Amino acid sequence: MTDAPDATTSRIPERPSLDGLEEKWMQVWADEGTYAFDRERALSLPRDQVFAIDTPPPTASGSLHVGHVFSYTHTDCMARYKRMRGLEVFYPIGWDDNGLPTERRVQNYYGVRGDASLPYEEGFTPPFEEGVDAKGKAIKAADQRPISRKNFIELCDVLTVKDEVTFESLFRRLGFSLDWDISYRTIDERSRAVAQQAFLRNLERGEAYQSEAPGLWDVTFQTAVAQAELEARDYPGAYHRVAFHRPDGTPVHIETTRPELIPSVVALIAHPDDERYQGLFGTTVTSPLFGVEVPVLAHRAAEMDKGAGIAMCCTFGDLTDVLWWRELQLPIRSLITRNGRLQAETPEWLVGGPGEELYAGSLATKTTFSAREAVVAALRESGDLDGEPQKTQRKANFYEKGDKPLEIVTSRQWYIRNGGREEALRGKLVGMGDEVDFHPAFMRSRYKNWVEGLNGDWLISRQRFFGVPFPVWYPVTADGETDHAHPIVAPESALPVDPQIDVPEGYEEGQRGVPGGFVADPDIMDTWATSSLTPQIAAGWPVREGAADGASRLGSDEALFGSIFPYDLRPQGHDIIRTWLFATVTRSFLEHGVAPWRHAAISGWILDPDRKKMSKSKGNAETPEDVVKANGADAVRYWAASGRLGTDAAYDTGQMKVGRRLAIKVLNASKFALGFGDVSGDLRAAVTNPLDLSMLSALAVVVDKATQGFESWDYTRSLEVTESFFWTFCDDYLELVKDRAYGGQGDEAAASARAALRLALETLLRLLAPFLPYATAEVWSWFGEGSVHRQAWPTRDELPTGGDAALLASVGAALAGVRKVKSEAKVGMRAEVRTMTLVAPAASVAHVRAAEADLRATGRISELTYAEGEAVEVRDAELVPVEKTPPPA
């Protein structure tokens, strides 16, 4: 060993600071490829030596929020730990940039909306930027300019790329150890090809199908909505007591919140046990205003204690109507169209009836609100409205990103079988959940409950623009009808295709839309239909099989995919278990017959001060950019890592300040520990002092606990035990060992102290590295080789044995007693203790005697005597205050 403050101390800054560390180390990590995935090494290793992460692709539609920081930090801590354990970590990043959120952002940002009927405008310049007009006023929906499908898609592409640059900058600053060379966009060429290939294989195996059926429809976004995207909300309405009529004219009163649907009624339905309606079952009644004869039927889904206990079944007002329609085999009398208005043509079942004139004159093309007003007015006039409407709050289904209640519209849509209508498949998909270790374990029940509660297949088509098109065309018959029963599918070798632009084999562009020609499928896939394939997209699942020029260009890597699939980890929030997690499981099972990963780490929500979930849609989300600038990335990561998996956490800047204090202390404590120059030789053998051995023995316990925490997916526990020890190390050990390390007790004693300091520092930096990547990288660079993030995770075998971990605690308690009496006497900590008695249990007295020299030097104690007692306490202390040096004249 050497006393010379040479190579090491020369690299230590005079005033260590967190300022500038992020810019410095972000660049170093990028230049040196610190976190790069080594594909060749991965292919040569046993599978259990590779750790593959199915990283969530954040939605590129505006700004991130602190919830992203929270959950992505959890994943990054695990990725860093696995890398330090020697595993080759596959840690890609993608951006989920297709779908409704992106389109809505483009509409609001540029003041445009897509219109498939308009021609493409070359060199189009959007009328607005950043959601405001030339005068700085916010753009209203009514002011949005309609543009062609192609122009709209181009703007989507431009804005998502712009957003993704911002997102990447923030992710890099937060120190996420992603391999930025393994990235994708869910709208890029490869993602489109993978999504289309998977769909074509689903179609070939009969797992995908098209059906004309009632489905949930968002009139604002003009698109179908899947069951997983529903959100039940309270919505103001009113009960209307309305009379239907028996053949003899006797009224049968129902209560409804949707009287505008009376022209579409197909039955009245009551519970089979409801005695009030036993005599009505099997008979018919006629509807008010329209005189349509409908049956009165029984079904157990009718609620006897709701309203009049008998309800209209209209096709369709809500999901119960769909259930009754399906199970009672009722006809369809659909009125509401895709734009949320009643159809323009008078329905054939009303033609010639008493309500034909009412429908044509007052209801056709009206919104549901206007139609409701017209029907209620007519009911008043006819006497079929019993009393006035009674206001109420009703539960209505909304699209999770929508503002108006969903309607149920009959339309042709694409579906993928997910067990919602097949018990055998549902059972297999429940079983897939049993193959995944959920963390925390109770989250598996959320998956299981969702799958078991499905009542329909997965609707994957959307009537929008920015997404993956279905690779399908349809023949047009000689009489101009579209033949949906015989779709023309693209060959896998041609993927990706856009059927709106590309032409199917055997046809020419001039045959588009004409008799004997073809038409393109007009829809795109739901964004989940693409993001459910993130494992396949990121790892090179093959596309264009047999195409010599296509596979490499589209990033196919069959060897890699075969090597790492199924992945090790899917991290995500608990609110999208029903969407992203289940959809990915479904696609993996259908294509590969296995669950797509071995573990699912489920993060909780971030809550605002009112304990409500933070989200952009609710307007209460904090954006992380300013938070990171104000506190530093290490501090924000500390806050995030302090929240356990599956547990909601409060947004807490106070916790971030604690994290910043910890990072600063790492710099300053390390400067002291390294300030004695380079150390060399067998450090373990050099540690001989009982206090040093005690500290390192306690640290060995921390290493075990921190490792166990990571292995059990409780990295919060790893942080807690490491941080707790670190503060003890700083507050007690560093103070106690200072005099000896400077040589106050001779060379051998100093050598032991310095070796212990170096061993402890090397261990603590590695334990803290997953949580505080910047501070630890900076300190490691002062004395170590390479990056701390590529060092081996510490083990207790690196530390000397034979120490008594309790010794440091006993001496620390004695030091605390000395500090207490000085504080109570209101003298400085450098005041001399001329004499004192330490009262402590016998075991503690023995510990202190073993390290008495360090305690006396630190506490400036001249005479120390001992007495046995139940607790550690300093008595009879005689203090000599430090005389203040007078200022110079």
Side-chain angles (χ1 to χ4, degrees), residues 3 60 86 93 106 143 190 233 238 302 421 455 509 523 609 611 690 800:
D3 294 331
I93 180 63
V106 167
D143 296 330
R190 170 164 172 76
R233 302 179 199 164
R421 295 183 179 179
N455 56 30
E509 177 60 34
D523 295 342
R611 305 297 294 175

Side-chain angles (χ1 to χ4, degrees), residues 807 810-814 838 840 843-855 864 866 872:
L807 188 149
S810 296
V811 182
L838 180 67
S844 295
V845 169
H847 289 153
V848 175
R849 285 186 185 278
E852 183 176 311
D854 289 331
L855 177 64
L864 173 62
Y866 297 92
V872 177

Side-chain angles (χ1 to χ4, degrees), residues 556-572:
S556 297
D557 193 340
E558 191 168 358
L560 177 62
F561 184 76
S563 166
I564 67 173
F565 185 88
Y567 283 49
D568 295 279
L569 173 62
R570 153 62 68 83
Q572 63 165 73

